[in-house]
Amino acid sequence: MFAFSSTPELLFGLYLLYYFRIFERQIGSNKYSVFILFSVILSLLFEVLALVLLRDPTLGVLASGPFGLIFASFVPFYFDIPVISRFRIFGIHFSDKSFIYLVGLQLLLSSWKRSLVPGICGVLAGSLYHLNVFGIRRKKFPEMVASFFSWLFLSSSTSSSRTPSSGNVIGNVPSYAAREVQRNYPSSLHAPVPEPPESSVATLVSMGFDGNAARQALMRARNDINVATNILLESQAQ
């Protein structure tokens, strides 16, 4: 469940895993850790059940890789991430989310039945999470467990950040945002704050935050979108 069997699946899968980090910024590291564990375990159970029920000799071994987690993430992507822009190419309507769906479709059909079955199992797991089965969306891990999951799944990507403020977005405690603003922008209260770019506001809105709150957070963080995200997450936790 943690290693892809071919290079194309690896490339598409890693791209989607990196993109779906948007949900951690939306719901916080702790709840995202719950989502990861819930999706992986439940999709694995569905895969075992599918192999038992289908008994298809042509199916053989299912495609390896975190298909369950990836396709479970498509459920909140569909319901919780709004469409920001729409456009047409050769008369066909597309949106800014269309490319992600196309990458997911390519990964879903990469090994035909061997990848189709775990992909569907992942969608089922994501749907149960979205329906809040057993109140799963309100569950939280102890902080030590959440920090371990954040390090295990995302430390490699955060280590490539170029600045301290962007590298510390993942896995921060709620009080971090206020300290970060005070430390990095001690004179911000005495300097004029530029109007936040609409692209930054749209990015925060696409994560599920209110537009006015996103604009205020960007102004407070002097248009640092990573710090603004922490400010918004802190306000939700209070």
Side-chain angles (χ1 to χ4, degrees):
M1 292 192 67
F2 299 101
F4 292 100
S5 58
S6 67
T7 301
E9 290 177 352
L10 174 66
L11 295 176
F12 289 123
L14 286 181
Y15 173 79
L16 291 172
L17 284 173
Y18 182 82
Y19 179 86
F20 287 142
R21 289 175 58 213
I22 189 174
F23 299 125
E24 183 180 20
R25 295 186 176 184
Q26 185 181 49
I27 64 178
S29 296
N30 200 312
K31 289 186 177 181
Y32 187 62
S33 302
V34 174
F35 172 77
I36 290 175
L37 188 62
F38 180 85
S39 301
V40 169
I41 292 177
L42 210 59
S43 61
L44 177 61
L45 293 176
F46 281 139
E47 289 175 23
V48 174
L49 184 62
L51 288 175
V52 172
L53 295 179
L54 293 176
R55 296 180 181 177
D56 187 350
T58 64
L59 189 58
V61 180
L62 295 178
S64 62
F67 282 83
L69 174 59
I70 291 173
F71 286 97
S73 300
F74 272 98
V75 177
F77 177 73
Y78 175 80
F79 286 105
D80 300 334
I81 304 299
V83 173
I84 298 176
S85 61
R86 299 180 185 274
F87 54 92
R88 290 194 304 173
I89 300 179
F90 300 116
I92 302 176
H93 293 272
F94 293 93
S95 73
D96 57 308
K97 298 171 66 175
S98 298
F99 179 73
I100 302 300
Y101 288 126
L102 291 175
V103 174
L105 182 63
Q106 173 66 35
L107 182 62
L108 183 67
L109 302 178
S110 58
S111 298
W112 188 223
K113 291 181 181 180
R114 295 178 59 247
S115 57
L116 187 63
V117 171
I120 293 175
C121 292
V123 172
L124 290 175
S127 300
L128 291 178
Y129 181 87
H130 180 75
L131 293 174
N132 199 26
V133 176
F134 306 123
I136 188 64
R137 300 182 71 171
R138 296 191 297 272
K139 303 296 184 183
K140 285 187 175 182
F141 284 126
E143 193 61 38
M144 181 183 300
V145 179
S147 299
F148 171 75
F149 270 97
S150 182
W151 171 83
L152 179 64
F153 285 94
L154 301 170
S155 60
S156 60
S157 57
T158 58
S159 63
S160 62
S161 300
R162 289 180 293 181
T163 62
S165 60
S166 61
N168 287 329
V169 172
I170 306 301
N172 290 321
V173 295
S175 61
Y176 164 80
R179 297 201 306 269
E180 187 70 10
V181 174
Q182 293 174 0
R183 186 178 66 188
N184 288 345
Y185 310 105
S187 61
S188 60
L189 295 176
H190 305 288
V193 179
E195 184 69 18
E198 290 301 320
S199 59
S200 299
V201 176
T203 299
L204 292 175
V205 170
S206 70
M207 297 178 189
F209 298 115
D210 177 73
N212 291 331
R215 192 177 300 275
Q216 293 176 5
L218 283 167
M219 294 181 67
R220 183 178 167 194
R222 297 193 63 80
N223 295 331
D224 187 320
I225 193 169
N226 295 313
V227 177
T229 302
N230 273 329
I231 294 174
L232 292 167
L233 289 174
E234 179 185 5
S235 65
Q236 288 183 346
Q238 291 175 347

